[in-house]
């Protein structure tokens, strides 16, 4: 991705000790999936869905949203150049603890 993007992620308080590792694992797994196939698009909505989804340890985020994007940018796939792969180096996270 050319432009840096920040995804704000909110986790319930009971997961506060695990959020950094879990967030990094979810992003890494998606990055690895994108790198495994030439031409596979990146979609912010898909990454956010994976962050909210409960993992094998029962950890999940209450909310995950990229800051400063329109709804269209959120759901529109970003394709790499022809014959290339997307590498998620420009994703930053802003982790919050709170909610229910």
């Amino acid at each position: 991705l050319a432009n840096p993007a920040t995804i704000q992620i909110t986790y319930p308080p009971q997961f506060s000790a695990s959020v950094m590792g879990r967030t990094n694992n979810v992003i890494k797994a998606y990055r690895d999936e994108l790198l495994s196939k030439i031409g596979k698009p990146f979609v912010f909505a898909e990454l956010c869905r994976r962050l909210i989804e409960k993992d094998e340890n029962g950890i999940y985020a209450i909310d995950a949203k990229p800051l400063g994007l329109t709804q269209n940018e959120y759901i529109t796939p970003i394709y790499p150049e022809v014959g290339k792969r997307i590498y998620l180096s420009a994703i930053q996270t802003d982790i919050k603890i709170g909610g229910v």
Side-chain angles (χ1 to χ4, degrees), residues 17-82:
S18 307
V19 297
M20 286 303 300
R22 193 247 184 207
T23 299
N24 291 336
N25 288 342
V26 170
I27 293 172
K28 181 185 181 315
Y30 191 38
R31 178 177 53 232
D32 291 348
E33 185 179 315
L34 293 172
L35 289 172
S36 73
K37 185 174 180 195
I38 291 174
K40 185 165 179 71
F42 168 77
V43 183
F44 279 103
E46 175 61 17
L47 177 55
C48 291
R49 182 194 67 76
R50 292 175 185 216
L51 288 162
I52 293 170
E53 189 174 76
K54 190 179 287 188
D55 69 13
E56 66 276 358
N57 297 315
I59 301 172
Y60 60 90
I62 299 167
D63 190 31
K65 61 185 175 228
L67 301 177
L69 292 187
T70 65
Q71 177 66 17
N72 194 43
E73 291 169 322
Y74 178 70
I75 62 172
T76 301
I78 300 169
Y79 288 89
E81 294 178 34
V82 175

Side-chain angles (χ1 to χ4, degrees), residues 5-23:
T6 299
I7 297 181
Q8 186 177 74
I9 309 159
T10 305
Y11 283 97
Q14 66 266 32
F15 302 138
S16 61
S18 307
V19 297
M20 286 303 300
R22 193 247 184 207
T23 299

